[in-house]
Amino acid sequence: MDDGQAGERQMRALRETARRHLADEDARRWYALVRPVIRLVGEEEAGAGAGEPAAARLGGLPLLPRGAHWPAGPPGGVPPVHLASLDCAALPAGWLDVALPADGTLLFFAPGAEGAGGPADGPLVYVPAGTPCRAVGAPPGVAVLPAVRLFARRDASAPFPDHSCVREAFALDTWADPYDHPVHGQGFVDELGERVHRVEHRVGGYPVNAGAAGDGAVSGPGRVMLAQFTCGRPVPGAQGGAQAGGDGGGGVLVWTVRREDLARKSFGEAVLLRHRW
């Protein structure tokens, strides 16, 4: 089965999950919220062939345009860590429902200390294709994470019942007890969790957490989730180099962007949201 078929199979599986647990109208209403997503997986899971290009790279030094400098942190703060680079041209074309650039590179920087969240807290830099670039060394005291290649795989994502888009679609705010609604049924939630509640790196779709980070990612006016990266520790790069994707406790970093900014390839107002597990 190729990657495209795997993505379609996951879409069908989510539709069947809804049909098993919800009445027909509720199933259709919930399934309308399902969105395509691209998972970013390591070489072992990807089974990548020798000729398959990596879609992203965790860690390493960023390739910045000649003359550009490492992004600054918040006023008076420490410069951010280079968390990941995303090669837009290596993503499956036409799969996502958000208009990422067809080519070029997105560089994700994460704070090395706690911050409130905002454009300065997790800078996102877009480098157009063909731009002369060079590897830029990290500022003193900023960790360089180990470089790990990631490969793109089509998949599907769905919101959990406590997500604002589900509450709106089913008018749950008008219920005396919204948890009595069938979308909160234990069987449906359990099966949904097995299929989509994965702590992973992903582009588009919904973030792994449907509460704290999930609502902020899509409930703002015209905002969508751009990408999610998971970290072995809540603050990547802190204390001399926590590894992204490592074992043990950690967190999820979610970047959101307005659709109109995405269409203009403008990422200066992208916002970083964080959720710990």
Side-chain angles (χ1 to χ4, degrees):
M1 179 179 297
D2 64 24
D3 178 46
Q5 291 175 321
E8 294 292 348
R9 183 179 65 175
Q10 176 70 336
M11 287 284 195
R12 291 193 298 270
L14 289 174
R15 183 185 295 114
E16 292 305 315
T17 296
R19 287 174 175 171
R20 276 193 294 273
H21 297 279
L22 304 175
D24 289 347
E25 180 57 31
D26 285 344
R28 285 192 292 270
R29 188 174 299 176
W30 180 84
Y31 185 73
L33 302 175
V34 172
R35 298 178 58 200
V37 69
I38 293 174
R39 295 194 302 127
L40 299 172
V41 302
E43 292 188 56
E44 183 175 348
E45 181 179 348
E52 181 180 357
R57 185 193 65 188
L58 289 175
L61 294 176
L63 295 177
L64 289 168
R66 292 176 185 171
H69 300 286
W70 194 283
V78 178
V81 174
H82 172 239
L83 179 65
S85 298
L86 180 68
D87 180 0
C88 296
L91 299 177
W95 179 251
L96 293 177
D97 60 359
V98 292
L100 263 70
D103 52 24
T105 304
L106 282 167
L107 306 175
F108 295 83
F109 291 84
E114 288 296 340
D121 198 36
L124 182 56
V125 178
Y126 176 61
V127 181
T131 303
C133 293
R134 62 186 178 90
V136 177
V142 175
V144 178
L145 303 178
V148 178
R149 296 199 306 162
L150 299 175
F151 298 84
R153 293 294 179 264
R154 294 175 179 87
D155 211 323
S157 66
F160 269 66
D162 59 348
H163 198 287
S164 60
C165 69
V166 179
R167 295 198 303 270
E168 181 179 353
F170 289 91
L172 294 182
D173 291 334
T174 67
W175 283 55
D177 186 354
Y179 292 96
D180 284 341
H181 193 280
V183 294
H184 281 284
Q186 194 61 52
F188 177 61
V189 172
D190 287 347
E191 187 170 344
L192 188 59
E194 292 175 2
R195 292 200 173 278
V196 300
H197 194 69
R198 293 189 296 260
V199 178
E200 61 191 2
H201 312 301
R202 59 175 67 167
V203 180
Y206 296 98
V208 67
N209 176 263
D215 270 352
V218 296
S219 64
R223 297 199 76 88
V224 293
M225 185 179 102
L226 178 62
Q228 164 188 294
F229 291 95
T230 65
C231 306
R233 296 179 188 174
V235 184
Q239 305 300 321
Q243 293 190 18
D247 295 330
V252 180
L253 300 178
V254 175
W255 276 264
T256 78
V257 65
R258 290 187 292 261
R259 285 187 183 272
E260 60 266 31
D261 289 342
L262 193 55
R264 295 186 291 112
K265 301 180 182 179
S266 175
F267 298 94
E269 296 299 318
V271 173
L272 170 64
L273 305 169
R274 288 188 274 188
H275 168 65
R276 293 187 180 188
W277 69 76

